């Protein structure tokens, strides 16, 4: 969940992460999604970038074919990921939220801290119009998301 939040990725992007595809040669790790992302049909490139905090977490998951798998070794699906979050929220007694809300929250945070253009690049949006939708989330939504994120990790 924290790697997902820190990368600003879509849920379907983070669950497909493969250790052998992560370029770890620099201080910032980079993962090229190739043709396996939402806007690939527009001939756009999409990269996930992992800062040091994300690297510290991610380094624990670099052993198998996929970074994030079930106990049986199969890669998560978005549906399984969503269900795991819902179960964790239930166990902790916090409001349920979805992986897409985590992306919204992360991009809103990046927009506030680094500006709309930086959030646009992290999100992989072609224009700031789409990114503005993330940046205009209400304070109530942000507070609720932050509390849920703090409870999880």
């Amino acid at each position: 969940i924290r790697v997902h939040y820190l990368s600003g990725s879509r849920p379907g992007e983070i669950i497909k992460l493969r250790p052998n595809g992560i370029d770890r040669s620099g201080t910032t790790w980079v993962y090229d999604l190739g043709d396996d992302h939402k806007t690939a049909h527009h001939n756009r490139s999409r990269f996930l970038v992992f800062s040091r905090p994300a690297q510290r977490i991610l380094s624990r998951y670099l052993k198998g074919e996929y970074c994030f798998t079930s106990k049986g070794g199969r890669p998560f699906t978005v549906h399984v990921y969503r269900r795991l979050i819902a179960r964790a929220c239930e166990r902790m007694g916090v409001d349920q939220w979805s992986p897409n809300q985590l992306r919204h929250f992360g991009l809103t945070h990046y927009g506030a801290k680094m500006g709309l253009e930086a959030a646009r690049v992290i999100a992989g949006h072609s224009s700031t119009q789409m990114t503005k939708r993330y940046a205009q989330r209400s304070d109530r939504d942000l507070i609720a998301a932050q509390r849920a994120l703090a409870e999880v990790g």
Side-chain angles (χ1 to χ4, degrees):
I1 288 171
R2 288 209 181 262
V3 172
H4 180 190
Y5 166 73
L6 291 168
S7 69
S9 63
R10 294 177 178 92
E13 295 170 341
I14 200 69
I15 63 167
K16 294 176 185 173
L17 198 60
R18 293 172 177 252
N20 64 355
I22 302 171
D23 178 356
R24 294 177 260 168
S25 61
T27 56
T28 301
W29 293 358
V30 179
Y31 186 79
D32 183 352
L33 289 163
D35 292 334
D36 196 13
H37 63 93
K38 184 177 177 179
T39 58
H41 65 281
H42 293 295
N43 294 323
R44 293 195 181 115
S45 298
R46 175 82 171 115
F47 299 91
L48 301 182
V49 178
F50 302 102
S51 62
R52 291 218 189 265
Q55 292 169 25
R56 282 192 289 276
I57 299 163
L58 194 53
S59 63
R60 293 181 249 158
Y61 300 94
L62 299 175
K63 295 180 176 88
E65 182 180 355
Y66 290 90
C67 292
F68 307 112
T69 60
S70 67
K71 289 179 183 175
R74 291 186 309 228
F76 286 157
T77 63
V78 173
H79 176 72
V80 167
Y81 183 37
R82 184 180 306 115
R83 195 172 59 220
L84 289 170
I85 290 170
R87 286 181 185 163
C89 290
E90 280 179 33
R91 279 194 309 271
M92 290 186 240
V94 298
D95 291 340
Q96 289 190 16
W97 49 274
S98 74
N100 283 321
Q101 286 174 297
L102 186 61
R103 175 172 158 84
H104 277 259
F105 174 64
L107 294 175
T108 300
H109 176 82
Y110 292 133
K113 288 270 189 189
M114 301 182 300
L116 198 57
E117 181 61 18
R120 181 198 69 78
V121 171
I122 290 167
H125 294 150
S126 59
S127 75
T128 55
Q129 288 304 110
M130 177 59 79
T131 313
K132 282 181 185 178
R133 292 182 185 181
Y134 292 88
Q136 294 173 351
R137 303 292 289 182
S138 73
D139 290 339
R140 188 186 84 244
D141 290 343
L142 286 173
I143 291 166
Q146 180 63 41
R147 283 185 184 142
L149 184 61
E151 292 288 329
V152 171

